[in-house]
Amino acid sequence: MLLRALAKQDYDQIVQVIDRWSGGPTSTLVHPLFFYELGQLALVVERDTQLVGFLFGFITTSKPPIGYIHLLGIHPEFRRRGIGRLLYAKFEEDSRMCGCTTLKAMTTPGNESALAFHKALGFTVELLEDYAGPERPRVVFAKNL
Ligand SMILES: CC(C)(COP(=O)(O)OP(=O)(O)OC[C@H]1O[C@@H](n2cnc3c(N)ncnc32)[C@H](O)[C@@H]1OP(=O)(O)O)[C@@H](O)C(=O)NCCC(=O)NCCS
């Protein structure tokens, strides 16, 4: 497994596979903003040149800054092999270097694998009913560094 910075060819590939990997239409979440403007800390994992995982994360401008994980995706045939854990460990290290004291991420209610993953990595879990607007609940994950 090779962990490295995400490049344009990876971005192009991710927009094509993300709906399949996440089991539904999610390609809008891979907004170009997260590559061109906020992509300096984005990461991929490849095995024998095959893309098997990605993480889009960035550092917020709040004081203190937060390491925010916007998107994490693992190839369905490569799950439960520690790839998500590897990507989060590197992003956590980068976030610490940038002075972050917290990591944060979120998902929609019912995403049980994301819930189990974040709990396993020591994140707190909070269901907030109007987090994304009226009647748009989200599960918010946070971890103190
Ligand atoms: C959630 C997701 C990113 C996990 O990635 P992964 O590489 O399979 O996770 P890891 O192998 O690093 O798992 C680390 C730990 O998290 C937990 N975990 C991960 N997936 C789990 C699942 N489906 N069920 C139960 N526990 C799970 C386990 O404790 C695991 O450790 P273990 O395998 O030693 O028991 C992956 O399932 C995925 O891409 N899902 C679809 C997209 C998505 O939901 N993204 C996250 C949105 S916030």
Side-chain angles (χ1 to χ4, degrees):
M1 300 279 183
L2 172 71
L3 174 70
R4 60 167 176 79
L6 188 148
K8 177 66 163 79
Q9 70 269 20
D10 305 310
Y11 179 76
D12 292 348
Q13 202 181 331
I14 290 163
V15 297
Q16 293 177 295
V17 300
I18 189 165
D19 288 353
R20 216 167 343 115
W21 285 18
S22 57
T26 31
S27 59
T28 51
L29 294 178
V30 202
H31 193 285
L33 174 67
F34 295 103
F35 174 68
Y36 291 103
E37 267 57 63
L38 299 172
Q40 288 80 5
L41 299 179
L43 298 162
V44 294
V45 171
E46 59 182 14
R47 199 190 71 160
D48 300 334
T49 72
Q50 179 187 9
L51 183 80
V52 292
F54 64 83
L55 182 155
F56 284 95
F58 59 89
I59 307 298
T60 68
T61 55
S62 53
K63 290 186 177 47
I66 293 168
Y68 190 91
I69 301 106
H70 170 63
L71 267 182
L72 172 71
I74 309 299
H75 188 303
E77 289 166 24
F78 290 86
R79 291 185 185 162
R80 299 302 292 271
R81 297 189 194 189
I83 299 174
R85 198 188 282 276
L86 180 70
L87 285 160
Y88 261 50
K90 173 64 174 144
F91 184 70
E92 178 174 326
E93 185 188 319
D94 292 342
S95 297
R96 284 182 195 274
M97 298 273 286
C98 294
C100 296
T101 53
T102 313
L103 291 183
K104 191 171 170 183
M106 70 165 180
T107 191
T108 45
N111 188 343
E112 298 303 327
S113 59
L115 182 64
F117 174 78
H118 285 90
K119 278 185 177 171
L121 269 65
F123 281 73
T124 60
V125 179
E126 208 176 355
L127 173 65
L128 298 171
E129 292 298 341
D130 62 353
Y131 191 75
E135 295 177 42
R136 287 164 53 88
R138 292 291 184 271
V139 179
V140 178
F141 305 114
K143 182 179 174 180
N144 288 330
L145 299 181

